[in-house]
Amino acid sequence: MTKTILLATTAVLTIGAAAPAFADTARAPQTAEAQDQGVLVFTPDFFADARPNTALDMVNRVPGFSVNDGDGARGFEGAVGNILINGSRPASKNDTGSNVLGRTVAAQVERIELVRGGAPGIDMQGYSVVANVILKTTSSREHVLTWNANLFDGGHDTFGGTYQFTAREGDRTWGVTLGDGYALSDSNGAGRVLRFAPDGSILRDETYYNDSYGGGNSIRGNFSSPFLGGKVDLTARYGINDYHNLSRQTAPGVLRENLYDEDGHSGEFGAVYTRPLSEKLKLETRFIHEFGDFDNVSTSRTRLNAIDEPEQLFNADGNTSETILRGLVRYERSPSMDFEGGGEIAYNMLEVQQAYTVGGVAVPLPSASVKVEETRGELFGKATWRINPKWTLESGLRLESSTISQSGDASQEKSFFFAKPRILATWTPMPNNQLRLRLERTVGQLDFGDFAASAEFSDENVFGGNVNLEPESRWVAEATYEKRFWGEGIISLGLRHDEITNAIDVIPLDGGLAAVGNIGDGTLDQLALNVTIPTDKLGVSGGKFGFRNTWNKTEVTDPTTGEKRPISDVRATQATITFQQDITSWKLQWGGAWIPLLGQKGFQPDQISGWRGTDYYEMWAEYKPTPTLSVRAQVNIWNDFDVTRTVFADRTTRPIQFVETRFIDPRTFWQIRLRKTF
């Protein structure tokens, strides 16, 4: 915590010292309603120099805003991101705000409202900042055609694209999206594996190769229209996908190969009906159903001196679904105050069958064949009060009751109740300065896959399922200060503290296995700093320098050793330094990013593993010869990507059995994108 405090103090002193220099001497190229400093309004002329093709291009250029499409987890509240279109979120959790904006041509945008800290009539859903994109009511036909290529140095090249059509007739819209997608990993590459004994002697010295790739095809339809005195929004999607991974280690007389292959299907249907019940009363009803199936197999093969060792095989097939029905009534008492109340019911399901064999002989696994179901109900109420032009207060309470049941190899049922209060206060003491305070209790969504067994052969791990897994909850206290200057300049500093109950990590199981489980209470202390500095006044026209980082310090008690340690897979730091520039006369934008250091660690009963990368570079340029055509090229270069495992001989005294390091030189890869709107 000392480091966090020192960093926070330094940042505050920096902001305080720089404040006089950042005083605005000219009107910023953005407008805000005079009576409402919490809402900044950006009109299309603000984005003219960037020559945007789509509404997403415009939102990505809003100063101080980063698109967040949500995590798609635990019902609807807070899971669908920080983008609204005409005051509402999309009809489906997977038809994200960025997807909708990506198929909307820039000419259809009337304005973009950046809502900071809350505003009457805007459902913040726990976000401190949201973007509300207001579209024009016109008659039009819009087409967006995109083609992508990812070219790897020595690996799989992947290609994909989308065609998006949208028709508008006043308040009625309809459209279709055809997608040919791709999946890739930027940590693939060739390298070397060294395994050391405790005395430092080399046990293995082998070359290493890793490659991951995948793709998918999908179709989505959207329809929106006035209906029964209100408005209905409908969306439906169906897709197929696959993913593949290969890792191979070789040396004279040695071959170690791990393969992973997965195929799956997924689909969804979403419907939203909104209707004014009176001048001040509005009804919103939402239904979402998602479904999917998967079939994957992991294979591990080893050959030593022309002798094949028993092959390990882990396969799983199953299906998943989620159904949500949500309704709310919003009462706008006055322009400065509104109330909202409603309820949500949801059903989640995972059914999976798995098998693990070694040399064709079945190995028993805990929870290899399971069906996990969750039924959940939630009642909620919230109020937003614009006390005066400087103060906004949002408060709410959600009451959640859920039951998680498991059948198959193990039968068990547990019920939970959570009260989840939230209070968000926003203070805007003067234009371009804002302080946001948040206190909230959150409950995490369980990954139902953790109830079943799994395998990671590349790290010599086989995990058992955990029938006793419970949701993780947190009390979150957060304060964020934001200073805007020089039009597009911003300094944002955030401090956050989490008190975590039932923290989720990895626990030991009998038989030498491990599983994802609850390991008790923990804490998170976080400092987030985001700086954007326009360079026009520094002599570089159209440029912006950026720095952002989030420093995390976590602490839990290890279930194997009983000692304090960080939470697994939380990155302690990842600073990103950026620069970009608009060269209007050339119809060109270019930029770059540098991440000096990134990485994370994972803690398990039998090993500590982690990866570390250094000097990640990205350079890009986008040429827009016409308002409807763009060509973008990007190159990504890594200097090093190292994976280290420390494996213990037993769980009691934990003597080191060996230390293994993979030194990977990730391949350079190029990305090319062509986009045409018409």
Side-chain angles (χ1 to χ4, degrees):
M1 186 61 182
T2 303
K3 178 181 178 182
T4 302
I5 292 173
L6 289 174
L7 290 168
T9 303
T10 302
V12 169
L13 290 174
T14 301
I15 293 173
F22 292 155
D24 290 312
T25 58
R27 184 179 65 86
Q30 62 199 45
T31 60
E33 298 178 14
Q35 75 277 14
D36 188 358
Q37 295 293 345
V39 180
L40 299 179
V41 179
F42 298 85
T43 54
D45 60 327
F46 176 85
F47 307 97
D49 289 345
R51 301 171 65 84
N53 298 132
T54 68
L56 183 60
D57 291 343
M58 300 171 75
V59 167
N60 283 331
R61 298 293 296 242
V62 172
F65 181 75
S66 296
V67 173
N68 184 339
D69 282 324
D71 56 11
R74 199 165 193 85
F76 186 80
E77 180 83 9
V80 288
N82 59 1
I83 293 177
L84 291 80
I85 294 91
N86 293 330
S88 300
R89 286 177 169 83
S92 165
K93 293 201 299 183
N94 288 323
D95 191 19
T96 62
S98 63
N99 285 344
V100 176
L101 298 182
R103 59 177 180 259
T104 304
V105 298
Q108 291 298 323
V109 177
E110 181 177 303
R111 67 183 185 275
I112 297 175
E113 300 174 347
L114 186 65
V115 183
R116 304 175 298 156
I122 297 296
D123 187 359
M124 302 296 289
Q125 291 206 4
Y127 292 98
S128 59
V129 179
V130 302
N132 183 24
V133 181
I134 307 300
L135 302 179
K136 300 175 182 177
T137 302
T138 60
S139 176
S140 64
R141 300 293 186 270
E142 305 162 13
H143 308 261
V144 181
L145 185 62
T146 306
W147 178 79
N148 299 279
N150 297 274
L151 309 177
F152 284 78
D153 180 13
H156 273 88
D157 297 334
T158 59
F159 302 89
T162 60
Y163 167 71
Q164 299 163 314
F165 167 75
T166 303
R168 304 179 190 274
E169 292 291 346
D171 292 328
R172 178 178 287 114
T173 65
W174 65 94
V176 63
T177 299
L178 304 176
D180 179 19
Y182 56 88
L184 52 88
S185 171
D186 58 4
S187 61
N188 296 335
R192 184 183 182 191
V193 174
L194 290 174
R195 178 174 290 190
F196 300 93
D199 62 3
S201 59
I202 297 178
L203 301 176
R204 290 183 185 176
D205 186 352
E206 300 167 357
T207 59
Y208 179 80
Y209 175 80
N210 179 49
D211 193 18
S212 299
Y213 61 96
N217 304 104
S218 66
I219 180 171
R220 177 183 293 280
N222 295 86
F223 177 79
S224 175
S225 174
F227 182 70
L228 296 178
K231 179 185 177 184
V232 64
D233 291 275
L234 305 174
T235 186
R237 175 190 174 274
Y238 182 76
I240 59 176
N241 61 275
D242 63 84
Y243 193 74
H244 312 277
N245 175 261
L246 161 69
S247 64
R248 181 184 296 126
Q249 296 175 211
T250 58
V254 176
L255 172 64
R256 310 179 199 275
E257 186 175 72
N258 298 299
L259 306 173
Y260 176 83
D261 297 280
E262 178 174 321
D263 294 285
H265 307 77
S266 62
E268 64 182 357
F269 172 77
V272 181
Y273 177 63
T274 56
R275 185 181 189 277
L277 302 177
S278 68
E279 183 180 353
K280 296 185 176 182
L281 205 60
K282 181 180 179 181
L283 170 71
E284 178 183 297
T285 304
R286 185 179 296 267
F287 175 79
I288 299 173
H289 177 66
E290 302 176 355
F291 61 90
D293 63 72
F294 59 90
D295 184 359
N296 60 60
V297 58
S298 299
T299 307
S300 179
R301 303 167 180 158
T302 301
R303 175 178 294 179
L304 301 176
N305 298 319
I307 299 176
D308 291 329
E309 295 191 352
E311 180 182 80
Q312 298 183 69
L313 188 67
F314 188 99
N315 66 277
D317 64 86
N319 55 81
T320 64
S321 72
E322 180 180 33
T323 304
I324 300 171
L325 178 61
R326 175 185 174 90
L328 64 87
V329 175
R330 181 177 293 115
Y331 173 56
E332 298 180 4
R333 181 178 181 273
S334 69
S336 62
M337 179 178 291
D338 67 15
F339 301 90
E340 183 180 293
E344 177 178 304
I345 57 175
Y347 171 77
N348 291 68
M349 185 275 294
L350 166 69
E351 186 172 17
V352 60
Q353 294 185 346
Q354 300 167 302
Y356 175 44
T357 61
V358 178
V361 179
V363 178
L365 288 172
S367 302
S369 177
V370 298
K371 182 177 183 179
V372 185
E373 300 171 278
E374 180 188 34
T375 55
R376 181 173 51 82
E378 181 176 275
L379 296 175
F380 57 86
K382 64 180 71 173
T384 302
W385 181 21
R386 180 57 50 87
I387 302 172
N388 56 46
K390 294 184 177 181
W391 280 97
T392 299
L393 182 66
E394 178 187 309
S395 62
L397 176 64
R398 291 180 289 161
L399 302 176
E400 175 189 313
S401 177
S402 64
T403 298
I404 298 178
S405 61
Q406 180 170 328
S407 57
D409 289 349
S411 297
Q412 185 163 299
E413 183 175 288
K414 286 187 175 183
S415 296
F416 306 93
F417 175 80
F418 299 100
K420 300 180 288 185
R422 173 197 299 155
I423 184 167
L424 175 63
T426 305
W427 180 42
T428 310
M430 64 189 73
N432 300 318
N433 289 267
Q434 189 176 82
L435 176 66
R436 298 187 288 269
L437 305 173
R438 177 171 71 109
L439 179 63
E440 180 177 10
R441 190 189 190 198
T442 64
V443 178
Q445 170 65 46
L446 293 175
D447 183 347
F448 282 4
D450 295 332
F451 285 82
S454 60
E456 294 178 356
F457 286 145
S458 60
D459 288 336
E460 302 174 330
N461 281 329
V462 177
F463 294 100
N466 181 8
V467 300
N468 297 309
L469 195 60
E470 298 184 5
E472 175 185 283
S473 64
R474 300 184 180 215
W475 278 101
V476 180
E478 185 177 43
T480 302
Y481 171 74
E482 178 186 288
K483 166 69 178 178
R484 292 174 177 265
F485 60 95
W486 292 358
E488 296 187 59
I490 186 170
I491 295 179
S492 175
L493 175 68
L495 292 173
R496 171 172 168 166
H497 175 75
D498 292 10
E499 290 289 336
I500 307 171
T501 302
N502 284 329
I504 291 180
D505 211 298
V506 180
I507 62 172
L509 296 181
D510 294 337
L513 295 174
V516 174
N518 303 104
I519 63 171
D521 297 341
T523 59
L524 163 71
D525 291 295
Q526 183 182 93
L527 169 67
L529 178 63
N530 186 2
V531 180
T532 301
I533 302 176
T535 60
D536 294 76
K537 295 187 177 184
L538 304 178
V540 181
S541 176
K544 286 190 294 185
F545 170 83
F547 173 86
R548 66 179 183 272
N549 195 14
T550 300
W551 292 269
N552 294 304
K553 182 181 184 298
T554 61
E555 186 176 277
V556 289
T557 300
D558 190 283
T560 305
T561 66
E563 299 177 354
K564 298 292 185 181
R565 63 159 173 84
I567 298 175
S568 292
D569 301 328
V570 176
R571 300 185 185 183
T573 181
Q574 184 172 309
T576 304
I577 301 168
T578 63
F579 179 78
Q580 66 179 61
Q581 185 182 23
D582 297 328
I583 306 178
T584 307
S585 60
W586 293 0
K587 302 178 182 180
L588 179 72
Q589 299 152 19
W590 74 278
W594 173 42
I595 303 177
L597 176 67
L598 66 164
Q600 62 190 40
K601 277 189 176 182
F603 300 84
Q604 300 173 17
D606 302 299
Q607 63 178 281
I608 298 174
S609 61
W611 61 269
R612 183 178 183 272
T614 59
D615 291 332
Y616 187 104
Y617 298 99
E618 175 182 290
M619 291 289 293
W620 60 269
E622 186 166 4
Y623 175 54
K624 298 180 178 179
T626 72
T628 64
L629 178 65
S630 71
V631 182
R632 178 185 172 99
Q634 178 174 309
V635 60
N636 294 70
I637 303 172
W638 274 43
N639 185 33
D640 289 300
F641 181 84
D642 303 333
V643 180
T644 301
R645 291 195 301 140
T646 300
V647 178
F648 305 104
D650 66 68
R651 297 178 175 179
T652 304
T653 59
R654 293 171 71 85
I656 294 177
Q657 182 178 354
F658 62 83
V659 176
E660 181 179 277
T661 301
R662 300 178 200 159
F663 302 96
I664 304 170
D665 181 13
R667 294 187 296 267
T668 298
F669 63 95
W670 297 81
Q671 299 180 60
I672 302 172
R673 185 190 71 192
L674 302 178
R675 184 170 62 197
K676 172 68 176 176
T677 62
F678 52 95

